[in-house]
Amino acid sequence: SRFPEHNFLGEEGLDETGDSPYRWIIDPLDGTSNYVHGFPYYAVSIGLERDGKLCLGVIFDPNRNELFSAAAGGGAQLNGRSISPSTADSLGQAMLVASLPIGARSDNPAVARFLRVLPRAQTVQRTGSAALNLAYVAAGRIDAFFSSSLKPWDVAAGKVIVEEAGGCVSKSNGNALDIHVADLVASNGTALHGELCQLLV
């Protein structure tokens, strides 16, 4: 109602297009399986594009009353306070989070990538909410996150927040991220980003 001329993209078939330079990319509940099972790791994720470039990201965790936010050129905040990524600079020091496709078989390439990383990192977790994983990279709670199974609404807000916090988001080959391609590596921006990418390509 506030921006009736704007475009929208999101889950549940939300795809409205028009002449506006603005497009909101929304996931009203990232981490649905966690929510269904009562596991308190899920969030609302809202990103905004202007002329095709992401310029705003907001992720809200209702369980912890934590609001992660960032606007292009303005840094990243958690409940209004500036945040920054960790300083771990090698996989051996790093806590990573991986996202695997639901119901992935043992021969799925994403599983093979996971197994290549597993012995090299200090620890690798699965949590079930890409949005919160990205927010946690930005806030220094985890060192890196990788996935090959995400949708634009899973990552749009988090990309802005990670980069504005000082972290790095790319494809697994190190090239610029395309939110419409399911290939993401997000990290604190230290040398471990390249080290992780080398294992994933």
Side-chain angles (χ1 to χ4, degrees):
S1 64
R2 291 283 300 276
F3 305 106
E5 74 281 9
H6 287 192
N7 301 317
F8 293 86
L9 176 67
E11 269 194 311
E12 319 302 337
L14 178 63
D15 189 1
E16 299 178 3
T17 58
D19 295 330
S20 172
Y22 292 97
R23 181 171 72 157
W24 297 89
I25 304 175
I26 300 168
D27 192 342
L29 180 58
D30 183 67
T32 304
S33 294
N34 289 349
Y35 176 81
V36 169
H37 287 276
F39 182 66
Y41 196 83
Y42 48 84
V44 180
S45 178
I46 302 174
L48 177 64
E49 283 182 338
R50 182 176 56 212
D51 294 321
K53 295 183 178 180
L54 288 165
C55 60
L56 178 74
V58 177
I59 295 170
F60 179 61
D61 176 357
N63 291 291
R64 297 165 188 80
N65 196 32
E66 291 187 333
L67 181 69
F68 301 85
S69 60
Q77 296 83 37
L78 167 55
N79 290 344
R81 296 185 177 183
S82 294
I83 53 174
S84 58
S86 71
T87 57
D89 60 4
S90 70
L91 287 179
Q93 301 173 321
M95 178 176 180
L96 309 185
V97 174
S99 175
L100 298 177
I102 295 174
R105 295 164 53 93
S106 59
D107 59 352
N108 189 295
V111 175
R113 286 158 44 120
F114 177 86
L115 293 175
R116 286 201 300 273
V117 174
L118 191 60
R120 297 285 296 275
Q122 187 176 85
T123 184
V124 184
Q125 308 289 338
R126 289 183 67 198
T127 59
S129 172
L132 279 183
N133 294 342
L134 289 164
Y136 278 27
V137 170
R141 295 176 179 176
I142 61 177
D143 303 303
F145 166 55
F146 63 95
S147 176
S148 58
S149 58
L150 300 178
K151 301 294 185 182
W153 45 84
D154 297 319
V155 303
K159 177 183 186 296
V160 180
I161 295 170
V162 170
E163 291 179 341
E164 286 298 319
C168 180
V169 185
S170 74
K171 293 181 180 178
S172 58
N173 62 7
N175 291 341
L177 180 73
D178 179 346
I179 64 170
H180 297 281
V181 176
D183 180 15
L184 174 142
V185 178
S187 79
N188 58 11
T190 69
L192 77 80
H193 191 96
E195 190 180 355
L196 179 56
C197 287
Q198 287 181 349
L199 291 175
L200 295 175
V201 293

